[in-house]
Amino acid sequence: MTNFIKENQQDIFSATFNLSNQGIYLMDCDGKILFANDNALNSLGYTLEEIENLNVWDVDAIVDSKEKYLNTVKEFNEIDYSSIPHTIESYHKRKNGEIFPVEIVSKFTTIQESQYLISYVKDITNRLKRIEDLKLYFDLIDSSKDMIFLVDHATAEIEFVNDTVCKSLGYSLNEIKNMKVSDFRRPFKELDNIDVPEVFKKIEELNTMTTFGIYITKDGKKIPVETSLHRKEYKGKSFLIAISRDISERLEIEREKEELNKKLKNYNKTLQNEISIAKQELIEYENIMKRQSKMAAMGEMLENIAHQWRQPLSAISVLSTGMILQNNENLLTKEDFNKGLSDVNEHVQYLSKTIDDFRNFFKPNKQKNHFNLEHLVSTSIKLSKVKHNQEKIKFIVNCENIELYTYENEFLQVLLNLIGNAKDELVKKTYEKCIFINTRIDDAYVVISVSDNGGGVPLDIIDRIFEPYYTTKHNYEGTGIGLFMSQNIIKHMHGNIEVKNIDIIYKAEQYKGASFEIKIPFLNKKGIENE
C-alpha cells in the first residue's frame, strides 16, 4: 500500500486538492501565486494559466498592494505560526470585478529549503448574511416597545430578555438572567388572578395563551401587563417566549371611559328631560303657527266671501227697495211682485251655494278622507277667482282623474296658498297672465305642479321662501307663514314640496316663471293607500 501511495502521490494530492470545498493557494514569499485548485479557480473565474500570472494583491481587495502583502508576511514571521495556522477575514475580487467575503487560513511551509505560504480560502458570504440576519433580528427584538423574555419552562429561569425588559424593570441583563419569573411577577387580581405556577401548568396544555399580571420593578413600582405566551421545543428542552406589554395607559383609558359613561348616563337623563321640554315647546309653536296660518287663510276666505256676496246683496237691496217704493205708490203689480221675489230668491240661492262652496274649508277635520284630485283643483280655482278677478288671470289645467286619501281641507289650503301667491305676482304684470296646474303619476306618488309666468323667484331668496315669517310682501299683504305651513302640511302627508324657476312657452311666447311641485302618496285602483 505504501508503494502505491508513493507511486501515485502526485495524482492523489491533485485529486485531494481539487475535491476540496475550499480554495487552496500556493504562493511564494514575494506574493506570486504559484498554484490554485479547481475550487479557487471556479470561485475567482480564472484558468490555471491566468492565475499563475497573478499576485496576491490582484485577487485580495484588502491586501491590494505588494507593500501590504510584505507587511503581512513580516507579521507572520514575527509570530511563530509553524504549528498553528493563521486565520484572517478579507475580501477577494473575481475576474469580473465582483467582491465577496472570505475566511483565509494560512501557514508557512518549507519546500526544497525555500519558504512558501499555503492558504485555504472559504467563501463566507452565507455566514455573514446569517450573522447580519441574526443581528437584525436582535435589533428588532431590542427595539420593540414590548418586553420580550425567553424562559426555561422546567425551571422558570430567565434565559434572555430584550433591552425593553431591562429599562422597564430597572435590572441589568446579568441581574435578570439570574432571576425567575416569580421574583418580579404577581397575579392581576382584578382580571384573572393566575399565579406563575398555574400559568406554567396551563401553557403546557395550551401551548399558546394570554394572561395578565403585575410586574414589580427594582425600585418597587408596579406595572400592569398583558402577556402573550408561546411554548417552543428546542434541542429537547421546553422554552416559553413571553411578550409582555405595559397596559397602564389602557387601564387608565378604561377607567376614564367608565367615568365618562357614568357622566354620559346622567347627561342623557338631563338631555331627555330637556328634549321633552323642547319637544313640547315645539308642538305648541307648531300649533300656534297652524292657528295663525288658518286664521290668515280664513281672513282671505272671508274677503273672498265678501267679494262674492257684495253684488247679489246689492241686487237684493235694490229689488227690495224698489218693490217697497212701488208698493207705496200703488204701482206694484202682481207680476212685478212675483218677478221681484223670483229675482231675490235667485240671488239668495247664489248666496247659499257660495256658503256651500266655502263652509268645508272652515270645518275642523283631523281625519283622512277620500276625495277626487280633479274636483279639489277645480274648487281651489273657484275659491281663489274672486280676488284679482278683474285682472283676468287665465288658468291652464291638465289634471288627471285621481283619487287621494289624505287630509282634504289641509291640501286645499296648500293649493289656495300657492294659487294666491302666483296671483299676487301676476297682478304686477302687463302681459297675458297665466297659472298652470298639472298633475301626473310618478311610481307610488302623485305629483301636482302649480306654475305661473310671473317672472320666477329671485335667486337670492329662493332658498329661504319656506322659512317661517319670511315674506317679500308688505306687512299688510302677507304674514310669511303661508309657504312654511304649506311645507309642514305636505310633510305631514308623507310628501314633499319644492320650488324652482322654469322657462314657460305659451302661445309661442317664452316666459320665466316659478313652479311649485308637490309630491304625495296616492291610491291604487283598489282604493288602498300606497306606502
Side-chain angles (χ1 to χ4, degrees):
M1 190 67 175
T2 305
N3 292 332
F4 173 79
I5 293 175
K6 287 181 178 179
E7 293 172 358
N8 299 282
Q9 189 175 24
Q10 181 69 28
D11 293 335
I12 292 171
F13 287 163
S14 177
T16 302
F17 280 7
N18 289 326
L19 286 173
S20 174
N21 62 357
Q22 298 184 48
I24 302 175
Y25 298 84
L26 177 65
M27 297 154 289
D28 62 21
C29 289
D30 290 329
K32 182 174 178 56
I33 300 174
L34 303 175
F35 171 81
N37 71 343
D38 287 349
N39 186 287
L41 297 174
N42 293 333
S43 177
L44 295 179
Y46 292 105
T47 64
L48 182 59
E49 290 76 13
E50 290 174 326
I51 205 81
E52 288 176 346
N53 292 316
L54 298 178
N55 299 299
V56 171
W57 49 89
D58 294 321
V59 298
D60 197 299
I62 303 299
V63 183
D64 56 357
S65 67
K66 185 175 182 178
E67 182 182 359
K68 289 182 180 179
Y69 174 75
L70 293 176
N71 286 336
T72 304
V73 171
K74 183 179 178 183
E75 290 175 4
F76 281 16
N77 287 325
E78 290 173 354
I79 303 172
D80 183 15
Y81 284 108
S82 58
S83 58
I84 9 174
H86 180 65
T87 302
I88 63 171
E89 289 186 1
S90 185
Y91 286 88
H92 276 185
K93 295 183 293 184
R94 292 190 173 97
K95 184 178 179 180
N96 61 9
E98 183 182 345
I99 296 176
F100 60 99
V102 292
E103 180 186 73
I104 306 171
V105 180
S106 301
K107 187 176 181 180
F108 284 107
T109 184
T110 302
I111 302 173
Q112 295 180 357
E113 299 181 357
S114 295
Q115 201 172 34
Y116 294 90
L117 189 65
I118 297 178
S119 295
Y120 290 80
V121 179
K122 182 189 295 184
D123 185 340
I124 59 172
T125 301
N126 292 333
R127 183 206 299 174
L128 293 182
K129 185 178 185 305
R130 287 195 297 270
I131 292 172
E132 286 297 318
D133 289 344
L134 285 173
K135 184 177 182 300
L136 175 62
Y137 297 152
F138 278 100
D139 287 345
L140 290 173
I141 290 171
D142 283 336
S143 64
S144 172
K145 293 183 179 180
D146 293 335
M147 292 176 271
I148 301 176
F149 302 81
L150 182 64
V151 183
D152 188 322
H153 183 215
T155 64
E157 293 179 351
I158 296 171
E159 297 283 336
F160 169 81
V161 297
N162 67 343
D163 285 347
T164 306
V165 173
C166 298
K167 292 175 182 177
S168 300
L169 300 185
Y171 293 102
S172 69
L173 181 59
N174 289 333
E175 286 176 324
I176 208 162
K177 286 178 72 174
N178 293 320
M179 299 171 69
K180 292 186 176 182
V181 177
S182 56
D183 292 337
F184 57 84
R185 196 257 188 200
R186 302 289 181 271
F188 201 141
K189 295 182 179 180
E190 295 179 12
L191 296 178
D192 57 9
N193 196 27
I194 301 177
D195 210 343
V196 172
E198 190 175 353
V199 171
F200 275 57
K201 184 178 179 180
K202 278 192 172 184
I203 194 66
E204 193 170 352
E205 301 172 1
L206 302 174
N207 287 325
T208 299
M209 64 179 291
T210 300
T211 185
F212 295 88
I214 301 290
Y215 286 170
I216 310 298
T217 66
K218 190 175 183 178
D219 60 4
K221 180 183 175 183
K222 295 180 179 180
I223 302 176
V225 294
E226 177 188 53
T227 303
S228 298
L229 294 168
H230 306 273
R231 191 167 73 93
K232 297 291 182 181
E233 298 288 336
Y234 181 71
K235 291 186 177 181
K237 289 185 66 176
S238 179
F239 293 91
L240 295 184
I241 300 171
I243 302 175
S244 298
R245 177 168 295 179
D246 186 340
I247 57 172
S248 302
E249 290 186 7
R250 187 199 306 178
L251 294 177
E252 182 63 28
I253 291 172
E254 289 296 328
R255 281 192 286 268
E256 291 178 357
K257 182 180 177 182
E258 188 175 348
E259 291 178 5
L260 185 61
N261 283 336
K262 290 179 181 178
K263 291 180 181 179
L264 189 59
K265 287 180 181 178
N266 294 331
Y267 176 74
N268 284 339
K269 290 180 181 178
T270 305
L271 185 61
Q272 285 176 357
N273 293 332
E274 293 178 355
I275 289 175
S276 179
I277 295 171
K279 186 176 180 180
Q280 186 60 39
E281 291 176 351
L282 181 61
I283 292 173
E284 292 176 1
Y285 172 74
E286 287 183 349
N287 288 335
I288 292 172
M289 293 290 289
K290 288 178 181 178
R291 287 196 295 270
Q292 288 181 347
S293 177
K294 194 70 174 178
M295 291 300 294
M298 288 175 64
E300 188 169 348
M301 288 297 99
L302 289 173
E303 182 183 352
N304 287 343
I305 291 173
H307 277 285
Q308 292 275 40
W309 278 20
R310 186 170 289 112
Q311 184 176 350
L313 285 174
S314 177
I316 291 172
S317 176
V318 170
L319 285 171
S320 60
T321 301
M323 289 171 62
I324 290 172
L325 292 175
Q326 284 181 321
N327 186 49
N328 289 337
E329 297 294 331
N330 293 320
L331 298 175
L332 183 63
T333 64
K334 186 176 181 179
E335 290 78 9
D336 291 336
F337 179 72
N338 289 336
K339 185 178 183 307
L341 290 178
S342 177
D343 291 341
V344 168
N345 182 61
E346 183 179 342
H347 288 298
V348 169
Q349 291 300 321
Y350 176 80
L351 294 176
S352 177
K353 188 173 184 305
T354 303
I355 290 294
D356 289 338
D357 288 338
F358 284 95
R359 66 178 178 177
N360 287 333
F361 181 78
F362 296 103
K363 284 183 180 178
N365 182 13
K366 300 300 180 184
Q367 301 296 325
K368 293 181 180 181
N369 61 287
H370 295 269
F371 61 91
N372 183 272
L373 178 59
E374 187 177 15
H375 175 72
L376 189 73
V377 171
S378 178
T379 301
S380 65
I381 294 172
K382 185 176 182 181
L383 293 178
S384 65
K385 270 191 173 180
V386 176
K387 188 177 181 182
H388 304 312
N389 193 44
Q390 70 277 11
E391 295 294 332
K392 295 182 180 179
I393 296 172
K394 188 173 182 179
F395 285 85
I396 295 91
V397 180
N398 181 18
C399 187
E400 296 188 30
N401 186 15
I402 300 170
E403 186 179 10
L404 293 177
Y405 179 69
T406 186
Y407 304 95
E408 182 180 6
N409 286 351
E410 281 75 5
F411 195 29
L412 177 61
Q413 182 179 343
V414 172
L415 291 178
L416 286 172
N417 184 65
L418 297 181
I419 294 172
N421 286 345
K423 294 177 76 172
D424 289 341
E425 290 300 318
L426 288 170
V427 295
K428 305 172 186 177
K429 310 302 178 184
T430 57
Y431 49 76
E432 187 171 7
K433 310 171 186 68
C434 299
I435 295 177
F436 305 85
I437 302 178
N438 297 287
T439 66
R440 71 176 191 277
I441 294 174
D442 184 4
D443 292 332
Y445 292 85
V446 60
V447 180
I448 306 100
S449 64
V450 178
S451 310
D452 61 70
N453 62 344
V457 183
L459 295 179
D460 58 336
I461 67 166
I462 195 168
D463 293 329
R464 298 190 59 194
I465 61 174
F466 289 109
E467 294 178 9
Y469 299 112
Y470 184 80
T471 179
T472 57
K473 302 175 184 178
H474 295 292
N475 291 337
Y476 62 84
E477 290 180 332
T479 62
I481 60 174
L483 287 176
F484 171 74
M485 286 310 303
S486 295
Q487 186 183 56
N488 281 354
I489 289 170
I490 297 302
K491 285 182 179 178
H492 186 56
M493 295 177 179
H494 306 291
N496 66 288
I497 180 171
E498 296 178 346
V499 62
K500 60 183 178 181
N501 290 327
I502 61 172
D503 292 322
I504 296 174
I505 297 177
Y506 180 69
K507 292 185 178 180
E509 294 290 337
Q510 184 168 338
Y511 303 90
K512 292 283 185 181
S515 178
F516 287 83
E517 188 172 271
I518 303 168
K519 193 174 183 179
I520 57 173
F522 75 101
L523 287 177
N524 60 24
K525 292 181 180 179
K526 294 183 179 179
I528 302 173
E529 184 180 7
N530 290 317
E531 295 296 338

